[in-house]
Amino acid sequence: MVGNLGKGPGGGDAGQAGAADRGGPAAERGPGDGRGDGPRSITVLGSTGSIGTNTLDLIARDPERYRVEALTANANVALLAEQARQFRARLAVVGDPARYTALKEALAGTGIEAAAGPDALKEAATRPAEWVMAAIVGAAGLEPTLEAVRRGATVALANKECLVCAGDLFMREVATHGATLLPVDSEHNAIFQVFDFGQKARVDKIILTASGGPFRTWDRAAMGGVTPEQAVAHPNWSMGAKISVDSATMMNKGLEYIEAHHIFAMPPEQIEILVHPQSVIHSMVAYVDGSVLAQLGTPDMRTPIAFTLGWPDRVPAPVARLDLGAVGTLQFETPDEARFPAVRLVREVLRSGGAAPTILNAANEVAVAAFLDRRIGFLDIAALVDRTVSRLQQRPAPTCLDDVLDIDRAARAACADLVAAAAA
Ligand code: NDP
């Protein structure tokens, strides 16, 4: 269920967001949920990244409320071991198997279990934490996140790529296993906060706001010379490298368009993208009576993370308070799809469906990595993703996880060939 409030796509009308659904009196809540008589048990997948460290920052400010079960990273053993010690995690997992010995040594004498490799990442997600932050970047997060979903956990979902590469499958698993899905992405978290799940048929459209990224006002010629350093320097948000580049190409808004389609079961024609450079309004929901509801705040991911961490209650977040008088002016623009072709591409991909979203996601990961490695130019990213989608999109839609992984592999190989040709 999406936040225990709805049935998810294809599930018909969403349920009521009544008081009981939002948690009920504290006396009725069980141990381990952080609101009853024990701390809430937590696992953070991707704890060393931008979302992961922000999550642990919130946990560190209220340590009595939480107990950390498992933490995971890909390569950053030093930070992972430091976090595991600080939060007295039961398990620490590093994705890269070659780093197992280093992790084991860093945790020697602590009693914290160390493990490594893709299976250990999945194992971390199966450990009995009531709340799981899914903050691994890219399709690499799909299988561990699905493990948490399949045991019916509350999953705070930052990893949008899960929904882009396997949206139907993912949402089906959420519904089948009675997992609770709480969106972390600031836009989807905003929509979640103002979406009337009890009157979904009365929603006219959802409006995803976009900062426009660092090159919002640049022309294509200037964008041709963009460096990785310029692309990761986002004007409003501090984020990991991949999502920062996605924001700069506006592919990120495209990925979020697909993410919104799955989380809120909204057809593409009822999802709008609106550029709003100040990143104060995090997104909006428009209703059939003309009302438009928005969630606002300063751009700090600790607000949406805190929303999911405390849900269904609210917990404090140490973020700068919004001062609209100081902000003064809020601007809005329609996205320029000629300068940012990724937006148009994603619209087409969602409309055509089938394997196309999985291909798009994988190709984008390869192209962004190649750009960060200075092997291709900034404008090549969207162009190579487009060409990979065109080459492979006749493949049938994935119906199971193996299909998704097959398509993902094929798309990575095809895009890698295009990168090699472009870099030659
Ligand atoms: P980061 O790059 O900062 O962190 C990624 C995390 O995933 C790190 O812990 C990293 O470990 C780990 N990781 C990377 N590759 C693998 C792999 N192959 N296997 C296992 N673990 C891996 O990313 P962000 O925190 O910025 O983003 C995480 C997710 O959240 C993304 O999907 C992003 O789109 C989404 N998101 C992020 C926002 C933000 O503000 N940052 C906002 C909204 C959504 P290591 O440190 O060892 O490399």
Side-chain angles (χ1 to χ4, degrees):
M1 290 172 283
V2 176
N4 268 348
L5 303 180
K7 293 176 184 165
D13 288 342
Q16 299 298 314
D21 296 310
R22 287 196 166 271
E28 293 170 20
R29 297 170 186 155
D33 64 3
R35 290 159 288 126
D37 47 11
R40 171 171 265 191
S41 53
I42 302 281
T43 282
V44 183
L45 305 172
S47 64
T48 51
S50 169
I51 293 288
T53 51
N54 275 312
T55 305
L56 291 178
D57 175 73
L58 291 169
I59 290 172
R61 291 167 193 269
D62 194 359
E64 303 303 310
R65 193 183 166 97
Y66 309 103
R67 181 184 63 69
V68 174
E69 181 70 37
L71 300 175
T72 80
N74 186 44
N76 192 344
V77 165
L79 181 57
L80 176 64
E82 183 188 320
Q83 292 174 335
R85 283 171 180 265
Q86 179 186 349
F87 292 93
R88 292 198 285 271
R90 296 186 175 172
L91 171 68
V93 175
V94 62
D96 178 359
R99 297 176 200 249
Y100 172 71
T101 308
L103 180 63
K104 181 110 184 121
E105 283 169 4
L107 294 175
T110 61
I112 300 167
E113 201 181 330
D119 287 343
L121 288 172
K122 290 196 268 174
E123 158 72 14
T126 65
R127 293 289 174 102
E130 184 242 343
W131 187 95
V132 177
M133 168 56 78
I136 292 174
V137 61
L142 176 62
E143 289 189 85
T145 307
L146 276 176
E147 293 293 338
V149 164
R150 285 174 178 151
R151 63 177 180 76
T154 295
V155 176
L157 186 72
N159 180 310
K160 63 192 83 186
E161 294 91 347
C162 283
L163 287 175
V164 177
C165 74
D168 290 335
L169 171 84
F170 191 92
M171 295 307 292
R172 211 165 48 231
E173 295 287 291
V174 168
T176 303
H177 299 280
T180 298
L181 188 63
L182 300 174
V184 171
D185 222 344
S186 57
E187 294 78 1
H188 306 76
N189 188 272
I191 294 164
F192 185 79
Q193 294 196 41
V194 295
F195 194 99
D196 189 343
F197 287 90
Q199 300 197 68
K200 183 164 178 283
R202 302 290 181 236
V203 173
D204 191 24
K205 61 182 174 185
I206 57 184
I207 303 161
L208 287 173
T209 52
S211 69
F215 313 125
R216 178 176 63 87
T217 58
W218 291 32
D219 61 28
R220 294 273 295 168
M223 278 192 254
V226 158
T227 64
E229 290 75 16
Q230 289 173 310
V232 298
H234 195 279
N236 303 339
W237 298 95
S238 163
M239 308 182 287
K242 193 256 177 185
I243 184 176
S244 297
V245 175
D246 285 344
S247 293
T249 58
M250 287 197 73
M251 183 66 82
N252 183 51
K253 211 46 56 182
L255 303 181
E256 290 177 1
Y257 184 76
I258 297 178
E259 184 183 10
H261 163 71
H262 288 294
I263 293 181
F264 301 103
M266 294 294 284
E269 58 277 12
Q270 282 178 270
I271 307 174
E272 185 180 311
I273 297 174
L274 182 67
V275 174
H276 163 46
Q278 289 80 18
S279 299
V280 164
I281 296 180
H282 297 309
S283 277
M284 301 179 254
V285 178
Y287 290 91
V288 290
D289 62 2
S291 299
V292 179
L293 271 58
Q295 185 262 356
L296 287 71
T298 50
D300 187 324
M301 283 309 294
R302 290 176 299 179
T303 294
I305 295 170
F307 179 88
T308 65
L309 200 50
W311 195 89
D313 296 332
R314 286 193 187 262
V315 296
V319 301
R321 302 294 136 164
L322 181 60
D323 178 351
L324 283 174
V327 173
T329 306
L330 297 180
Q331 291 168 272
F332 303 96
E333 301 160 8
T334 48
D336 182 343
E337 298 187 11
R339 283 187 303 121
F340 294 98
V343 178
R344 174 195 46 78
L345 175 61
V346 173
R347 282 191 213 282
E348 287 167 8
V349 157
L350 185 55
R351 229 172 277 125
S352 58
T358 316
I359 299 165
L360 172 117
N361 182 67
N364 184 53
E365 288 190 32
V366 170
V368 169
F371 168 70
L372 287 170
D373 279 351
R374 300 175 203 280
R375 298 183 63 213
I376 59 171
F378 182 73
L379 295 178
D380 292 331
I381 299 173
L384 297 190
V385 173
D386 195 348
R387 285 172 62 195
T388 310
V389 171
S390 304
R391 272 193 188 182
L392 296 182
Q393 70 178 347
Q394 296 315 323
R395 291 182 71 124
T399 57
C400 61
L401 181 59
D402 282 345
D403 289 352
V404 171
L405 299 177
D406 274 354
I407 295 166
D408 178 271
R409 268 190 296 272
R412 280 171 202 274
C415 191
D417 287 347
L418 293 173
V419 165

PDB file of all heavy atoms in Angstrom, residues 402-419:
ATOM      1  N   ASP A 402      13.445 -11.258 -13.439  1.00  0.00           N
ATOM      2  CA  ASP A 402      14.485 -11.703 -14.377  1.00  0.00           C
ATOM      3  C   ASP A 402      14.397 -10.943 -15.698  1.00  0.00           C
ATOM      4  O   ASP A 402      15.422 -10.607 -16.307  1.00  0.00           O
ATOM      5  CB  ASP A 402      14.366 -13.210 -14.635  1.00  0.00           C
ATOM      6  CG  ASP A 402      14.938 -14.018 -13.473  1.00  0.00           C
ATOM      7  OD1 ASP A 402      15.661 -13.417 -12.642  1.00  0.00           O
ATOM      8  OD2 ASP A 402      14.645 -15.226 -13.382  1.00  0.00           O
ATOM      9  N   ASP A 403      13.158 -10.687 -16.153  1.00  0.00           N
ATOM     10  CA  ASP A 403      12.994  -9.908 -17.396  1.00  0.00           C
ATOM     11  C   ASP A 403      13.591  -8.513 -17.225  1.00  0.00           C
ATOM     12  O   ASP A 403      14.277  -8.000 -18.108  1.00  0.00           O
ATOM     13  CB  ASP A 403      11.504  -9.709 -17.737  1.00  0.00           C
ATOM     14  CG  ASP A 403      10.839 -10.986 -18.208  1.00  0.00           C
ATOM     15  OD1 ASP A 403      11.546 -11.980 -18.421  1.00  0.00           O
ATOM     16  OD2 ASP A 403       9.593 -10.965 -18.346  1.00  0.00           O
ATOM     17  N   VAL A 404      13.296  -7.898 -16.080  1.00  0.00           N
ATOM     18  CA  VAL A 404      13.821  -6.542 -15.835  1.00  0.00           C
ATOM     19  C   VAL A 404      15.349  -6.568 -15.883  1.00  0.00           C
ATOM     20  O   VAL A 404      15.986  -5.733 -16.535  1.00  0.00           O
ATOM     21  CB  VAL A 404      13.351  -6.009 -14.452  1.00  0.00           C
ATOM     22  CG1 VAL A 404      14.073  -4.701 -14.106  1.00  0.00           C
ATOM     23  CG2 VAL A 404      11.842  -5.814 -14.430  1.00  0.00           C
ATOM     24  N   LEU A 405      15.931  -7.563 -15.213  1.00  0.00           N
ATOM     25  CA  LEU A 405      17.393  -7.627 -15.149  1.00  0.00           C
ATOM     26  C   LEU A 405      17.994  -7.894 -16.528  1.00  0.00           C
ATOM     27  O   LEU A 405      19.041  -7.346 -16.885  1.00  0.00           O
ATOM     28  CB  LEU A 405      17.831  -8.676 -14.119  1.00  0.00           C
ATOM     29  CG  LEU A 405      17.357  -8.405 -12.678  1.00  0.00           C
ATOM     30  CD1 LEU A 405      17.766  -9.534 -11.746  1.00  0.00           C
ATOM     31  CD2 LEU A 405      17.873  -7.066 -12.143  1.00  0.00           C
ATOM     32  N   ASP A 406      17.294  -8.715 -17.345  1.00  0.00           N
ATOM     33  CA  ASP A 406      17.760  -8.991 -18.718  1.00  0.00           C
ATOM     34  C   ASP A 406      17.750  -7.722 -19.562  1.00  0.00           C
ATOM     35  O   ASP A 406      18.714  -7.420 -20.279  1.00  0.00           O
ATOM     36  CB  ASP A 406      16.810  -9.991 -19.402  1.00  0.00           C
ATOM     37  CG  ASP A 406      17.190 -11.421 -19.090  1.00  0.00           C
ATOM     38  OD1 ASP A 406      18.242 -11.618 -18.454  1.00  0.00           O
ATOM     39  OD2 ASP A 406      16.410 -12.324 -19.473  1.00  0.00           O
ATOM     40  N   ILE A 407      16.635  -6.995 -19.483  1.00  0.00           N
ATOM     41  CA  ILE A 407      16.510  -5.767 -20.289  1.00  0.00           C
ATOM     42  C   ILE A 407      17.544  -4.742 -19.816  1.00  0.00           C
ATOM     43  O   ILE A 407      18.190  -4.067 -20.627  1.00  0.00           O
ATOM     44  CB  ILE A 407      15.074  -5.202 -20.179  1.00  0.00           C
ATOM     45  CG1 ILE A 407      14.075  -6.180 -20.789  1.00  0.00           C
ATOM     46  CG2 ILE A 407      14.966  -3.830 -20.846  1.00  0.00           C
ATOM     47  CD1 ILE A 407      12.620  -5.882 -20.435  1.00  0.00           C
ATOM     48  N   ASP A 408      17.694  -4.662 -18.509  1.00  0.00           N
ATOM     49  CA  ASP A 408      18.661  -3.720 -17.932  1.00  0.00           C
ATOM     50  C   ASP A 408      20.071  -4.025 -18.475  1.00  0.00           C
ATOM     51  O   ASP A 408      20.785  -3.122 -18.914  1.00  0.00           O
ATOM     52  CB  ASP A 408      18.597  -3.843 -16.400  1.00  0.00           C
ATOM     53  CG  ASP A 408      19.587  -2.939 -15.685  1.00  0.00           C
ATOM     54  OD1 ASP A 408      20.737  -3.371 -15.455  1.00  0.00           O
ATOM     55  OD2 ASP A 408      19.214  -1.804 -15.361  1.00  0.00           O
ATOM     56  N   ARG A 409      20.431  -5.309 -18.464  1.00  0.00           N
ATOM     57  CA  ARG A 409      21.772  -5.694 -18.957  1.00  0.00           C
ATOM     58  C   ARG A 409      21.939  -5.351 -20.436  1.00  0.00           C
ATOM     59  O   ARG A 409      22.961  -4.795 -20.855  1.00  0.00           O
ATOM     60  CB  ARG A 409      21.998  -7.208 -18.762  1.00  0.00           C
ATOM     61  CG  ARG A 409      22.663  -7.574 -17.449  1.00  0.00           C
ATOM     62  CD  ARG A 409      23.075  -9.044 -17.432  1.00  0.00           C
ATOM     63  NE  ARG A 409      21.924  -9.937 -17.503  1.00  0.00           N
ATOM     64  CZ  ARG A 409      21.249 -10.373 -16.441  1.00  0.00           C
ATOM     65  NH1 ARG A 409      21.623 -10.022 -15.238  1.00  0.00           N
ATOM     66  NH2 ARG A 409      20.208 -11.173 -16.582  1.00  0.00           N
ATOM     67  N   ALA A 410      20.913  -5.687 -21.232  1.00  0.00           N
ATOM     68  CA  ALA A 410      20.998  -5.426 -22.679  1.00  0.00           C
ATOM     69  C   ALA A 410      21.119  -3.930 -22.947  1.00  0.00           C
ATOM     70  O   ALA A 410      21.898  -3.494 -23.811  1.00  0.00           O
ATOM     71  CB  ALA A 410      19.762  -5.997 -23.370  1.00  0.00           C
ATOM     72  N   ALA A 411      20.368  -3.129 -22.205  1.00  0.00           N
ATOM     73  CA  ALA A 411      20.396  -1.678 -22.425  1.00  0.00           C
ATOM     74  C   ALA A 411      21.750  -1.097 -22.013  1.00  0.00           C
ATOM     75  O   ALA A 411      22.285  -0.206 -22.673  1.00  0.00           O
ATOM     76  CB  ALA A 411      19.266  -1.013 -21.650  1.00  0.00           C
ATOM     77  N   ARG A 412      22.310  -1.619 -20.917  1.00  0.00           N
ATOM     78  CA  ARG A 412      23.636  -1.133 -20.494  1.00  0.00           C
ATOM     79  C   ARG A 412      24.677  -1.450 -21.575  1.00  0.00           C
ATOM     80  O   ARG A 412      25.517  -0.608 -21.902  1.00  0.00           O
ATOM     81  CB  ARG A 412      24.055  -1.781 -19.165  1.00  0.00           C
ATOM     82  CG  ARG A 412      23.412  -1.125 -17.975  1.00  0.00           C
ATOM     83  CD  ARG A 412      23.632  -1.872 -16.667  1.00  0.00           C
ATOM     84  NE  ARG A 412      22.578  -1.476 -15.764  1.00  0.00           N
ATOM     85  CZ  ARG A 412      22.632  -0.394 -14.970  1.00  0.00           C
ATOM     86  NH1 ARG A 412      23.720   0.323 -14.916  1.00  0.00           N
ATOM     87  NH2 ARG A 412      21.610  -0.057 -14.225  1.00  0.00           N
ATOM     88  N   ALA A 413      24.599  -2.670 -22.128  1.00  0.00           N
ATOM     89  CA  ALA A 413      25.579  -3.051 -23.157  1.00  0.00           C
ATOM     90  C   ALA A 413      25.403  -2.185 -24.399  1.00  0.00           C
ATOM     91  O   ALA A 413      26.389  -1.693 -24.975  1.00  0.00           O
ATOM     92  CB  ALA A 413      25.412  -4.534 -23.494  1.00  0.00           C
ATOM     93  N   ALA A 414      24.155  -1.968 -24.806  1.00  0.00           N
ATOM     94  CA  ALA A 414      23.911  -1.171 -26.022  1.00  0.00           C
ATOM     95  C   ALA A 414      24.380   0.261 -25.819  1.00  0.00           C
ATOM     96  O   ALA A 414      25.023   0.860 -26.703  1.00  0.00           O
ATOM     97  CB  ALA A 414      22.420  -1.199 -26.372  1.00  0.00           C
ATOM     98  N   CYS A 415      24.089   0.815 -24.660  1.00  0.00           N
ATOM     99  CA  CYS A 415      24.495   2.208 -24.426  1.00  0.00           C
ATOM    100  C   CYS A 415      26.018   2.305 -24.291  1.00  0.00           C
ATOM    101  O   CYS A 415      26.621   3.281 -24.766  1.00  0.00           O
ATOM    102  CB  CYS A 415      23.784   2.771 -23.197  1.00  0.00           C
ATOM    103  SG  CYS A 415      24.014   4.548 -23.054  1.00  0.00           S
ATOM    104  N   ALA A 416      26.627   1.286 -23.678  1.00  0.00           N
ATOM    105  CA  ALA A 416      28.099   1.296 -23.562  1.00  0.00           C
ATOM    106  C   ALA A 416      28.737   1.302 -24.952  1.00  0.00           C
ATOM    107  O   ALA A 416      29.752   1.974 -25.177  1.00  0.00           O
ATOM    108  CB  ALA A 416      28.569   0.097 -22.742  1.00  0.00           C
ATOM    109  N   ASP A 417      28.146   0.569 -25.915  1.00  0.00           N
ATOM    110  CA  ASP A 417      28.665   0.584 -27.296  1.00  0.00           C
ATOM    111  C   ASP A 417      28.557   1.989 -27.882  1.00  0.00           C
ATOM    112  O   ASP A 417      29.476   2.469 -28.544  1.00  0.00           O
ATOM    113  CB  ASP A 417      27.859  -0.375 -28.183  1.00  0.00           C
ATOM    114  CG  ASP A 417      28.187  -1.840 -27.885  1.00  0.00           C
ATOM    115  OD1 ASP A 417      29.193  -2.078 -27.184  1.00  0.00           O
ATOM    116  OD2 ASP A 417      27.415  -2.723 -28.334  1.00  0.00           O
ATOM    117  N   LEU A 418      27.435   2.625 -27.657  1.00  0.00           N
ATOM    118  CA  LEU A 418      27.247   3.983 -28.189  1.00  0.00           C
ATOM    119  C   LEU A 418      28.225   4.962 -27.544  1.00  0.00           C
ATOM    120  O   LEU A 418      28.760   5.849 -28.206  1.00  0.00           O
ATOM    121  CB  LEU A 418      25.800   4.446 -27.964  1.00  0.00           C
ATOM    122  CG  LEU A 418      24.722   3.683 -28.753  1.00  0.00           C
ATOM    123  CD1 LEU A 418      23.327   4.124 -28.322  1.00  0.00           C
ATOM    124  CD2 LEU A 418      24.907   3.914 -30.259  1.00  0.00           C
ATOM    125  N   VAL A 419      28.452   4.768 -26.241  1.00  0.00           N
ATOM    126  CA  VAL A 419      29.419   5.624 -25.541  1.00  0.00           C
ATOM    127  C   VAL A 419      30.807   5.423 -26.164  1.00  0.00           C
ATOM    128  O   VAL A 419      31.520   6.401 -26.462  1.00  0.00           O
ATOM    129  CB  VAL A 419      29.461   5.302 -24.021  1.00  0.00           C
ATOM    130  CG1 VAL A 419      30.691   5.902 -23.365  1.00  0.00           C
ATOM    131  CG2 VAL A 419      28.183   5.795 -23.336  1.00  0.00           C
TER     132      VAL A 419
END
